[in-house]
Amino acid sequence: MDWLTSHKLPVGVWLRSFFDWIVGTFPALFEAIDDGLSGLIDATLAGLEALPPLVLIAAFAALTWALQRRWGPVAIVVGCFVYVVNQGYWDETLESLTLILYACLLCMGLGVPIGIRAAHYPSFSRALRPVLDMMQTIPTFVYLIPMIALFSIGMVPGLVATLIFVLPAPIRLTELGIASVPPALREAALAFGATPRQVLTKVELPYAFPQIMAGLNQTIMLSLSMVVIAALVGADGLGVPVVRALNSVNIALGFESGLVIVAVAVALDRMLKVERA
């Protein structure tokens, strides 16, 4: 097999040349994206940090009640965030929540329209499927290398790497939700004179809403799983103490920060979980 390995396709060289070309051709574009996202993240984080922790916890509890209408999830959310404050990781939690917030806005803003189109056009869905498989299969650490080249270090490369890794989830679940709408519902809407846009907004999206919210839930969970990896490229948040614990083999710090991440994940899951009636 030496003859085969001696003629290896230079895939890595091609991709390196491609990113070198992008960095050299569009430096102003990536600098503007970096500055814009950094400004939004810093402004949002400053606004969150200006509020007392108990005020934010009360806001999270009110949001949970508005979405769930049950006291059980509210108690869990409050308990989890009180635990975070007790452990002294409130500032790191706000940094991670800011990263998750913008990751969710970008992922849902892109994923839902793409998922709708994929559900309506099977040929587009078939062409998209291998791309989504590749996005979720490539090790997340690989995404960090070009992100550093494009945006240097900080929150922005962590955000963009998170976006690439997480985006398939809302696309797939939105497509599943729209595709699962019973044909009889569509036919009834069309029979009553509804336009395609009205069918989408009045029939398909309401029916697929639990699936879309499941996509949001998965987006949040996957984004939270990226906080440790994002910390390797300079992103602040709950990943920083985990990386510090790994570097120093600090078992206490590792479990302490890891359980805080679990508490935040549980709180966000209970806050936004929507079940079909």
Side-chain angles (χ1 to χ4, degrees), residues 236-256:
D236 297 325
L238 292 170
V240 174
V242 175
V243 173
R244 190 182 302 125
L246 178 63
N247 292 334
S248 60
V249 197
N250 189 328
I251 297 176
L253 178 62
F255 275 99
E256 183 180 272

Side-chain angles (χ1 to χ4, degrees), residues 22-275:
I22 290 180
V23 172
T25 307
F26 306 103
L29 172 63
F30 291 104
E31 184 177 350
I33 294 173
D34 192 1
D35 292 342
L37 290 177
S38 295
L40 286 173
I41 291 172
D42 291 342
T44 303
L45 182 58
L48 292 175
E49 290 178 337
L51 298 173
L54 292 180
V55 173
L56 270 180
I57 293 174
F60 292 145
L63 177 60
T64 305
W65 172 254
L67 293 174
Q68 306 295 338
R69 296 295 177 179
R70 292 183 291 124
W71 287 112
V74 174
I76 293 174
V77 168
V78 171
C80 287
F81 282 118
V82 169
Y83 172 77
V84 170
V85 175
N86 172 263
Q87 294 297 299
Y89 286 89
W90 184 250
D91 290 338
E92 291 85 352
T93 298
L94 292 183
E95 291 164 350
S96 291
L97 288 178
T98 303
L99 182 64
I100 292 170
L101 170 64
Y102 283 103
C104 289
L105 290 176
L106 291 172
C107 285
M108 298 304 289
L110 293 172
V112 172
I114 294 174
I116 292 172
R117 182 171 180 82
H120 288 160
Y121 297 91
S123 59
F124 176 72
S125 177
R126 288 191 296 270
L128 185 64
R129 195 172 300 126
V131 177
L132 299 180
D133 292 340
M134 183 182 68
M135 291 169 66
Q136 289 189 306
T137 305
I138 292 179
T140 51
F141 289 97
V142 176
Y143 293 134
L144 301 182
I145 303 170
M147 293 306 105
I148 294 174
L150 296 175
F151 301 106
S152 186
I153 60 174
M155 295 286 275
V156 174
L159 173 61
V160 177
T162 300
L163 171 65
I164 296 172
F165 175 67
V166 176
L167 185 58
I171 293 176
R172 291 184 189 276
L173 286 167
T174 300
E175 179 184 1
L176 177 62
I178 298 295
S180 64
V181 176
L185 288 179
R186 292 193 183 95
E187 293 171 3
L190 292 172
F192 280 99
T195 64
R197 182 180 296 274
Q198 289 173 329
V199 172
L200 174 64
T201 57
K202 303 294 186 180
V203 176
E204 293 180 336
L205 287 179
Y207 189 91
F209 181 72
Q211 290 287 355
I212 294 173
M213 287 300 296
L216 174 61
N217 183 279
Q218 286 299 301
T219 298
I220 293 172
M221 296 298 107
L222 292 172
S223 299
L224 191 55
S225 73
M226 285 288 290
V227 297
V228 176
I229 298 173
L232 297 176
V233 293
D236 297 325
L238 292 170
V240 174
V242 175
V243 173
R244 190 182 302 125
L246 178 63
N247 292 334
S248 60
V249 197
N250 189 328
I251 297 176
L253 178 62
F255 275 99
E256 183 180 272
S257 52
L259 289 175
V260 167
I261 293 176
V262 172
V264 174
V266 171
L268 294 177
D269 178 72
R270 297 300 184 272
M271 185 187 303
L272 298 171
K273 188 173 183 179
V274 174
E275 299 178 356

